[in-house]
Every structure is written in C-alpha cells, then in structure tokens.
Amino acid sequence: MKTTRYFETTRNRPDRAGIRDEWIERAVERPEQEHIQSDGRVRRWARIPEAGGRYLRVVLLADRQTVHNAFFDRGFRP
C-alpha cells in the first residue's frame, strides 16, 4: 500500500491508530461510494462491520493508488 508522509503522520493519532490496513485496502478496492474532488483526489467509503458498522473514508491521490488519509467518517450517510 503506497502512502503519503501526511498519512503516516496522522495515522498515529489516537482516533486513527486502530484503523487496520486491511480495512483501508477494502475501501480502496471495494468502495460503497466514491467522489472525485476538484483537485483530482478520490474519496472512497466502505462500511467496516468489525468497527461497529462505521464508515471508513479513504482519500487517495489522483493516481488512485496512494493513500493520503483514512478516518471514520461520522457524517457520512450512504
């Protein structure tokens, strides 16, 4: 999994430390919803049953492979 330096820094935050790589890969490979931002980055969401059914948002760079951010999105509604 390719990541940015920003991602490596923020994933150490207490609210993100429990996010597993496999969940991120799931959101990247099998998103339930996708949105392309005006800057070309891609947002993808996936429901994570192992995390109480919360939705994980993963932000990819425009190459659609490099993970820039990942967090549970409390505001997401499918």
Side-chain angles (χ1 to χ4, degrees):
M1 180 170 72
K2 292 173 50 178
T3 62
T4 63
R5 180 176 291 180
Y6 175 81
F7 172 80
E8 293 301 330
T9 300
T10 60
R11 84 174 311 181
N12 292 322
R13 292 173 37 174
D15 62 326
R16 300 180 188 192
I19 297 174
R20 299 181 188 163
D21 285 353
E22 65 197 55
W23 298 345
I24 295 170
E25 291 168 1
R26 185 184 313 168
V28 170
E29 295 170 7
R30 298 186 311 270
E32 294 184 25
Q33 191 164 330
E34 178 181 279
H35 174 77
I36 299 173
Q37 300 179 176
S38 60
D39 62 1
R41 292 180 182 174
V42 180
R43 295 180 192 167
R44 291 181 176 168
W45 290 265
R47 185 175 173 274
I48 308 298
E50 302 95 317
R54 294 183 291 169
Y55 279 87
L56 182 66
R57 181 199 298 191
V58 175
V59 179
L60 303 172
L61 298 184
D63 67 3
R64 295 178 174 246
Q65 297 177 347
T66 306
V67 177
H68 180 64
N69 204 351
F71 57 93
F72 287 107
D73 189 346
R74 291 181 291 179
F76 178 73
R77 300 291 177 259

